[in-house]
Amino acid sequence: MFYPPQSKYVLTTEGEEVKKTKILGYAVAAAIAAAGFSSNAFATNGYQLIGVGQYAVGMGGAVVAAPDDPLSAAISNPAGLALMRPQAAFSAEIFNPTRKTNMGFGEIGSHSNVYGIPAIGWVAPAFGDGIVFGGGVYGTSGLGVNYLQQVPSQIPGYPNSYAQAYSSITFIQMAPSIAMKVNSHLAVGASLNIAAEQGSFQQTMTGYAPGSVMTPNGQMSPIGPIAQTGGLNLSTPSWAYGVGVTIGALYKVNDMVTLGATYKSPMIFTPLTFQAGAQTAPNRTPGSPGQYSGHLNYPQQVALGIAIRPIRQWLISVEGQWINWHNTLNTFNIYGPWQGTNVEALPLNWRNQWVANFGTQYDVNDWLQVRAGYAWGSNPVPNNSNAIAANTIFPAVVQNAITFGATQKLGMGWKLTEAYMHEFANTMTGAPGSAPFAYYGDQQAAASSTLAENSYGVQVGYDF
């Protein structure tokens, strides 16, 4: 029973079409995860970019042993800054993911499919011979999903119910870095990773039920459909701030072979906090209006690489990465005024990921370089029905990407770099009946997630 503002009437519902299932709650958990890192809610490496800057993209992300500009160095291996002449780079990239899911009434696509990724990098001498200061800054905005699934009404003549899944995220990271050339073979470097993220999301089900109205004389009179909405709705944007470090090294074995290694610490964030109305947790625990919050941290990771030049004009780079997703996205806890508890655990079931990157570059002449790359990543989302249902609106399931790129040296210190990336579509499908809203329609519908990606970018560089 509720009282509409400025009304003498009392409305009551006589039936309830909006019911919550455990699987629906899993989908909510996925929405929360998607809200965490916008720049990383795509790409082969879970929700990480394959590379920042168009040189790194064109090399398929295989740059830990072969950084070539301030962006690829500051973000992937800061030791590379020590080997560069003073320069700056400005990158702009259009990212175009295609996402689909089945929430129980057939496959639908997301309505938000184009995002921008700007980036700036620089390096300059500092603090004496062999020591340089540089860094990189990049950001994205608007990333997330926007699903709206029509659900046929179970009451003849009533409007359709609908399931809504929405997230919008902004992510900005800067990486001020210092690097030193120790000797003719060894360079070392470190970056301070400072980031800000903003997230808002919603995972709700709205249905219509018959109701009645109490007239001023105390009699109940039936009225038309009354809308009822349930689920999680944390759609007021919230900012969180995080910090971590990257340390890296490059070792030049000889003129043909260079080895690279980096370690990125976990990036620890302040909580995302939301002022929100009544909520419903995955296990149907109700939450009162108030403040809800949760931490979404960035995982630690290790990368090792080797760069080989069979001849002076030809570069081959190979890299392997380990990313500790299990400690970040195995379970997400939402703190708030839940009934009987102050925290609800949302299982996402992510596992650690192995990534392999391959890149090659050829100097056609003094002004043109061409490159290509390939990236493969194991799937951090386990191939089981519960995990697939939990991640239907966070479909980080792509595994194979190819990239192409080129650089033109324009003279007077200017250079232009372009890159294209294509991630091949991958679909994960759960068992019959695992779709988040199968209860309302096709009870044998299977949860599924499909993702494919393209990106197009251009970068302008200047050597001082």
Side-chain angles (χ1 to χ4, degrees):
M1 179 181 296
F2 65 92
Y3 296 84
Q6 308 299 323
S7 174
K8 299 179 180 179
Y9 296 92
V10 178
L11 302 180
T12 64
T13 58
E14 299 173 348
E16 183 178 16
E17 188 178 350
V18 182
K19 299 181 180 178
K20 291 83 178 175
T21 67
K22 187 175 182 180
I23 297 176
L24 167 60
Y26 289 159
V28 174
I32 294 168
F37 295 91
S38 64
S39 69
N40 304 309
F42 46 83
T44 293
N45 310 342
Y47 55 62
Q48 287 196 136
L49 291 166
I50 282 181
V52 177
Q54 301 315 300
Y55 166 76
V57 173
M59 289 289 288
V63 297
V64 73
D68 190 64
D69 61 19
L71 284 168
S72 60
I75 304 301
S76 298
N77 189 349
L81 294 169
L83 307 180
M84 297 178 187
R85 62 188 301 175
Q87 59 182 285
F90 306 87
S91 173
E93 185 173 344
I94 295 175
F95 181 73
N96 176 219
T98 300
R99 292 144 298 171
K100 298 178 181 178
T101 190
N102 186 349
M103 303 177 78
F105 293 89
E107 191 173 65
I108 57 173
S110 175
H111 298 284
S112 52
N113 295 315
V114 178
Y115 311 105
I117 307 174
I120 300 174
W122 72 93
V123 61
F127 313 117
D129 292 341
I131 302 177
V132 301
F133 175 76
V137 179
Y138 73 97
T140 59
S141 63
L143 290 173
V145 299
N146 189 4
Y147 292 129
L148 182 66
Q149 177 87 69
Q150 294 287 334
V151 181
S153 174
Q154 297 178 355
I155 304 176
Y158 273 50
N160 284 343
S161 303
Y162 58 91
Q164 191 167 8
Y166 167 81
S167 59
S168 179
I169 311 103
T170 297
F171 182 88
I172 302 170
Q173 179 178 327
M174 64 176 64
S177 310
I178 189 169
M180 179 175 67
K181 185 176 181 180
V182 179
N183 53 44
S184 60
H185 292 278
L186 178 64
V188 296
S191 298
L192 178 63
N193 301 319
I194 305 169
E197 62 182 5
Q198 183 192 65
S200 61
F201 61 91
Q202 176 182 354
Q203 174 72 48
T204 56
M205 182 76 176
T206 298
Y208 296 86
S212 59
V213 60
M214 181 180 292
T215 63
N217 61 10
Q219 306 239 333
M220 301 300 296
S221 175
I223 61 172
I226 296 177
Q228 298 177 324
T229 298
L232 280 177
N233 186 354
L234 304 179
S235 56
T236 56
S238 172
W239 281 100
Y241 305 91
V243 64
V245 297
T246 300
I247 57 174
L250 283 170
Y251 186 79
K252 184 178 180 181
V253 178
N254 51 45
D255 289 340
M256 182 180 294
V257 178
T258 300
L259 305 176
T262 59
Y263 169 74
K264 292 185 178 182
S265 75
M267 188 178 294
I268 307 301
F269 278 82
T270 60
L272 290 164
T273 59
F274 304 90
Q275 300 298 323
Q279 309 293 318
T280 303
N283 61 2
R284 304 186 187 181
T285 300
S288 301
Q291 178 172 293
Y292 292 82
S293 65
H295 288 270
L296 283 167
N297 299 324
Y298 201 85
Q300 66 175 338
Q301 50 198 292
V302 177
L304 302 173
I306 182 171
I308 302 172
R309 287 190 176 272
I311 57 175
R312 182 182 63 83
Q313 301 98 317
W314 185 22
L315 169 66
I316 300 172
S317 183
V318 179
E319 180 178 328
Q321 302 178 51
W322 173 79
I323 306 175
N324 188 203
W325 292 119
H326 183 75
N327 282 0
T328 303
L329 285 179
N330 183 48
T331 300
F332 180 77
N333 294 320
I334 297 183
Y335 296 86
W338 302 105
Q339 181 175 297
T341 182
N342 70 336
V343 60
E344 285 290 332
L346 305 178
L348 294 176
N349 304 309
W350 276 44
R351 57 194 175 187
N352 297 330
Q353 184 182 35
W354 295 93
V355 180
N357 308 86
F358 305 89
T360 185
Q361 175 180 281
Y362 189 79
D363 298 346
V364 178
N365 50 43
D366 291 340
W367 67 273
L368 177 63
Q369 297 172 316
V370 294
R371 58 187 67 91
Y374 169 75
W376 172 88
S378 63
N379 199 330
V381 179
N383 191 19
N384 64 66
S385 295
N386 285 342
I388 295 170
N391 290 276
T392 52
I393 56 175
F394 187 28
V397 300
V398 288
Q399 294 186 268
N400 296 277
I402 56 172
T403 66
F404 302 94
T407 295
Q408 301 83 42
K409 298 179 180 179
L410 306 178
M412 300 181 66
W414 292 96
K415 53 188 174 183
L416 186 66
T417 300
E418 309 87 17
Y420 167 73
M421 178 197 72
H422 175 72
E423 299 236 29
F424 293 94
N426 189 32
T427 299
M428 295 183 67
T429 304
S434 60
F437 303 115
Y439 177 89
Y440 300 100
D442 180 2
Q443 297 189 10
Q444 294 300 306
S448 67
S449 290
T450 299
L451 178 63
E453 300 168 346
N454 291 283
S455 75
Y456 316 84
V458 62
Q459 178 174 312
V460 178
Y462 182 75
D463 294 341
F464 294 96

